[in-house]
Each structure stands twice: as structure tokens, then as C-alpha cells.
Amino acid sequence: MTNDTTLFLGQWMRSPGTTGAVAPSSRKLAETVTAPVPRRGEPVIVELGPGTGAFTAEIQRRLEGRGHHLAVEINPRLAEFLAARHPAVDVMVADAAKLPQLLQERGLTHADVVVSGLPWAAFSEETQTSLLEAVAAIMGPNTAFTTFAYSFAKPLPPARRFRRRLHDTFEEVVMGRTVWGNLPPAFVYHARRPRS
């Protein structure tokens, strides 16, 4: 096993409710989730639940030193690992439900893209709601929000509840194709235009 996988598995065993996965996401899933990251300009990219950095690496590759990449990780051990691996990333140990405050502390008004690796189906209804409200609060009219879910969980009640929450929160929600190269297979949600 790689260092990433070993660390990720260890953190999952300690706290499966906040880590949410037993292994890091694949490169193919990372490419799909980070597709909205612009190739030009100085965008503000907010990453939630970066873990060991599967999406982080792809965001950094797309940014090529531009913009501001803020990664919000609640697990101090994973945040430390991430900060050491990606020194150009602004890594914060914090609860993503405090996003508006976290951006304000950085002098940022909104995000251009929000990329989430959070385990939405593992969260309670209240947690899902508070996190999505925080995401919506930092989005401008053209901001993209992407997250993923595991295909096997699609029919389960927590996943269905999250899907309803997405549609309640955003005017546009598009579900992408299954990324079979991920373990387990996953698909991506692309959302825009928070409802007022």
C-alpha cells in the first residue's frame, strides 16, 4: 500500500464518519471532480475534505501557480500530511460549516469553484443541510460546486436524502457518468446557482 492509502485507511478506522472512504480517490475521479477549475485568471478554489490530496494534486496541476487554493480539512493528521505535500495550498484545520467565516478571515469574498471530497451520505440530515448552506453562502452567480458519491450507495436512504438536498439548494444539478476506474465506482454531481 502507498503512504496515502495507509494513512487514509488508518484515519478511516479511527473515525469512519468523518473520513468516509477507505482509500484515496482515483486520478480519473479527480479529473472529473475538478473539471470546473478554470485554466485562466486568478480563481479562488475552495476544497472541502481533501484527505490525502487526490483532488488537491489535480487542482494544483490545473492552477499552475495561479489563484488561491484553500483546502479545509477537519482531521489535523490529514491536514498536516496535505500541507507538507502541497506547500502552495492554504490548508486550514476547520469545520466546513464555517466557510463564510473562513473566507472572510482570508479576505476572500467568494469562491469561483467549490470541490468537495466530503462523505455526504455518512452525515446526518442536519449536517448535510448546514454544510450545503455554508457552500451556497460562498458561491457567486457563476460559481461551480462539484462533489461525488459512490454508485453502490445511490439507492440508499442517506444518498437519496443528499440528492434531494442538492436539488433543494441549487437550481441546476447535473449527475455525471459513473467513473468505473475508481474504487469503488463513483459519479460526480455538478451544481450551480444556489436558490435564494
Side-chain angles (χ1 to χ4, degrees):
M1 284 196 290
T2 65
N3 286 345
D4 295 31
T5 306
T6 303
L7 176 60
F8 212 98
L9 182 59
Q11 296 306 298
W12 177 80
M13 289 171 65
R14 286 172 184 259
S15 183
T18 56
T19 303
V22 296
S25 298
S26 70
R27 172 81 185 264
K28 185 64 179 169
L29 182 59
E31 289 172 354
T32 307
V33 168
T34 61
V37 174
R39 298 285 189 173
R40 296 189 182 103
E42 297 292 328
V44 174
I45 312 299
V46 174
E47 183 182 8
L48 310 178
T52 55
F55 299 163
T56 311
E58 185 61 22
I59 293 168
Q60 284 293 290
R61 190 181 73 75
R62 288 171 182 264
L63 288 176
E64 297 180 317
R66 298 173 296 111
H68 189 114
H69 180 180
L70 174 64
V72 181
E73 173 58 59
I74 201 166
N75 181 314
R77 180 96 188 273
L78 292 175
E80 181 182 355
F81 179 88
L82 191 73
R85 176 172 278 186
H86 297 284
V89 178
D90 182 3
V91 181
M92 294 187 78
V93 179
D95 183 345
K98 297 177 180 171
L99 277 176
Q101 177 187 334
L102 300 178
L103 260 67
Q104 187 177 21
E105 288 172 8
R106 294 298 196 265
L108 303 170
T109 58
H110 71 281
D112 295 297
V113 179
V114 180
V115 172
S116 172
L118 295 174
W120 294 97
F123 295 149
S124 68
E125 186 172 357
E126 295 75 21
T127 300
Q128 285 182 356
T129 300
S130 66
L131 287 169
L132 283 174
E133 285 175 353
V135 168
I138 65 164
M139 292 177 70
N142 300 312
T143 303
F145 169 63
T146 60
T147 191
F148 75 98
Y150 295 123
S151 298
F152 74 85
K154 199 184 293 186
L156 300 178
R160 289 202 319 266
R161 183 181 69 227
F162 177 62
R163 200 160 41 248
R164 282 194 307 271
R165 281 268 168 264
L166 279 176
H167 286 282
D168 289 345
T169 306
F170 300 100
E171 291 179 12
E172 178 186 328
V173 179
V174 177
M175 193 168 69
R177 294 181 180 169
T178 300
V179 178
W180 295 104
N182 196 68
L183 184 66
F187 62 92
V188 177
Y189 287 112
H190 299 272
R192 290 181 186 268
R193 297 193 305 277
R195 299 181 190 277
S196 39

